[in-house]
Amino acid sequence: MYKKTYLTRYLVEKQRINGHIPPELRLLLEVVARACKRISQAVNKGPLGEVMGSADSENVQGEIQKKLDIIANEVLIEANEWGGHLAAMASEEMEGIHVVPNRYPQGEYLLLFDPLDGSSNIDVNVSIGTIFSVLVKPEGANVSEQDFLQAGVKQAAAGYCVYGPQTTLVLTVGDGVAVFTLDREQGSFVLTQEDLKIPEDTKEFAVNMSNQRHWDAPVTRYINECIAGSDGARGKDFNMRWVGSMVADVHRILTRGGIFLYPWDKREPEKPGKLRLTYEANPMSWLVEQAGGVATDGKHRIMDIQPAQLHERVSVFMGSKNEVDRVSSYYAEATSQA
Ligand code: P6P
């Protein structure tokens, strides 16, 4: 019989054996996991749940919100505000932070999330997911948005839950990456993989090719070499995958290697990239690094970037070490030749 380790036992042992996570952080992660189960149930209903389609609203990014974006956001807020483990939350779907109401005790953690990443895929039944990042609230009286502006290296925990053929929770608290698969009969997440490792080499890249004419030179050079394959400088053929849902693409890369690229492009030159630093790039970067991969914006380690704004964007290259390092070397060459 397969010895099943459920999420609770995994976290209790992390707390008890290596004292790696304090009780409040364990509680936080269990509450987030429970919220993800509820989101999974809503997502899995699809049209039967009358939750499909767009809401009549836009988020802070100016993007049309899907009904499930709002539902997922509300599930995470409601699940986390009463437990006493959090001081406040920040979300892609909310302009400002959500401070835990006075009727509840405030805790020492800050939770950031993209409640339903890839929501453009909801109506076409393609994998989507929840991305979350946990920070420790700095000392001081009243929590503020400024408290959330911490570099990714300060994270206490990071993870995502992908709602695909399986519902899978992927988590790090700084000592490796663990994977939990939702056992729907038990209603619990079961540990199905520990200490995930990304191969340093890969033949698979993930990028939205329709943006090619807008990229800068180092990215154009890198992708053109991948496409030239064994006929070109790389001397090997590459394959391309692009789901259009970061959670799905990064999960594939964590599982079998690859490089994910969402670079700056000249369509909106004032923006460093499309993806958000604090609740998308930072948690994904920590998971990738914990699995032996690399995550940069082409010039800097993503987790070293000091956020200036809660919803600021960043250029993203992450995955198999040798491929991401190659992109960085092309940026370095371009800078030295400038
Ligand atoms: P594009 C989803 O909207 C998202 O934020 C990421 O999940 C995904 O990787 C990216 O945008 C897809 O962007 O421009 O290819 O639709």
Side-chain angles (χ1 to χ4, degrees):
M1 176 64 182
Y2 181 67
K3 172 180 158 308
K4 283 186 176 179
T5 299
Y6 293 101
L7 176 66
T8 300
R9 176 169 179 175
Y10 175 86
L11 293 173
V12 164
E13 288 178 352
K14 281 277 173 211
Q15 174 192 333
R16 180 195 306 144
I17 294 173
N18 18 8
H20 202 81
I21 53 172
E24 297 77 15
L25 181 56
R26 174 169 65 79
L27 170 62
L28 196 173
L29 294 172
E30 287 190 284
V31 169
V32 169
R34 210 161 27 248
C36 289
K37 278 191 283 190
R38 282 183 54 197
I39 295 168
S40 173
Q41 284 164 346
V43 166
N44 286 165
K45 283 201 174 73
L48 301 177
E50 295 170 9
V51 293
M52 303 292 268
S54 295
D56 298 331
S57 55
E58 283 187 355
N59 65 14
V60 64
Q61 329 291 342
E63 296 163 340
I64 297 290
Q65 290 177 304
K66 299 286 190 181
K67 289 176 190 167
L68 272 170
D69 281 322
I70 296 171
I71 293 167
N73 195 63
E74 286 167 357
V75 165
L76 283 157
I77 296 280
E78 287 160 15
N80 280 286
E81 62 179 1
W82 50 267
H85 49 278
L86 279 185
M89 293 173 251
S91 166
E92 180 188 65
E93 302 304 329
M94 301 186 299
E95 180 146 14
I97 64 170
H98 177 89
V99 178
V100 167
N102 291 333
R103 63 182 178 281
Y104 300 125
Q106 277 206 3
E108 63 172 308
Y109 291 104
L110 304 174
L111 179 65
L112 303 89
F113 46 82
D114 178 355
L116 209 53
D117 173 70
S119 50
S120 59
N121 286 313
I122 292 174
D123 298 343
V124 292
N125 197 17
V126 169
S127 297
I128 49 184
T130 299
I131 309 173
F132 61 90
S133 172
V134 180
L135 296 169
V136 177
K137 175 183 163 304
E139 290 300 318
N142 299 324
V143 64
S144 70
E145 186 167 305
Q146 189 64 31
D147 293 333
F148 284 78
L149 304 183
Q150 300 180 42
V153 288
K154 300 279 192 182
Q155 292 175 100
Y160 61 81
C161 193
V162 52
Y163 312 117
Q166 303 102 42
T167 287
T168 304
L169 179 72
V170 180
L171 176 67
T172 187
V173 291
D175 60 348
V177 177
V179 181
F180 301 85
T181 304
L182 181 61
D183 174 344
R184 291 196 184 282
E185 287 151 23
Q186 294 281 338
S188 304
F189 281 105
V190 180
L191 180 67
T192 45
Q193 208 168 343
E194 249 190 307
D195 206 19
L196 224 51
K197 287 300 171 209
I198 301 178
E200 291 196 344
D201 292 302
T202 182
K203 292 184 176 179
E204 206 158 63
F205 66 92
V207 71
N208 182 334
M209 285 300 295
S210 67
N211 301 329
Q212 184 167 28
R213 65 188 184 285
H214 307 301
W215 296 335
D216 58 13
V219 178
T220 303
R221 174 183 174 190
Y222 176 77
I223 294 296
N224 284 345
E225 287 179 355
C226 289
I227 292 169
S230 51
D231 300 337
R234 298 302 308 275
K236 67 177 186 178
D237 291 335
F238 283 76
N239 192 16
M240 194 204 101
R241 287 284 182 274
W242 186 250
V243 181
S245 180
M246 185 184 199
V247 176
D249 283 312
V250 171
H251 188 71
R252 185 190 58 255
I253 289 165
L254 278 169
T255 306
R256 70 184 191 208
I259 177 172
F260 175 95
L261 306 91
Y262 211 112
W264 168 92
D265 71 47
K266 51 179 180 278
R267 287 175 295 175
E268 295 182 283
E270 74 289 351
K271 289 181 182 173
K274 173 179 184 182
L275 302 177
R276 288 79 172 183
L277 174 60
T278 58
Y279 43 77
E280 287 178 332
N282 271 340
M284 290 308 206
S285 295
W286 199 20
L287 289 164
V288 164
E289 288 196 5
Q290 282 288 309
V294 171
T296 83
D297 67 357
K299 298 170 182 168
H300 314 92
R301 181 190 182 205
I302 285 177
M303 284 180 30
D304 286 340
I305 297 172
Q306 175 55 47
Q309 294 166 354
L310 185 59
H311 298 288
E312 81 179 56
R313 299 167 188 263
V314 67
S315 191
V316 176
F317 305 95
M318 58 171 65
S320 292
K321 178 181 184 320
N322 294 339
E323 291 303 315
V324 178
D325 285 350
R326 177 180 288 265
V327 174
S328 299
S329 71
Y330 291 178
Y331 270 100
E333 277 180 45
T335 305
S336 65
Q337 289 159 3

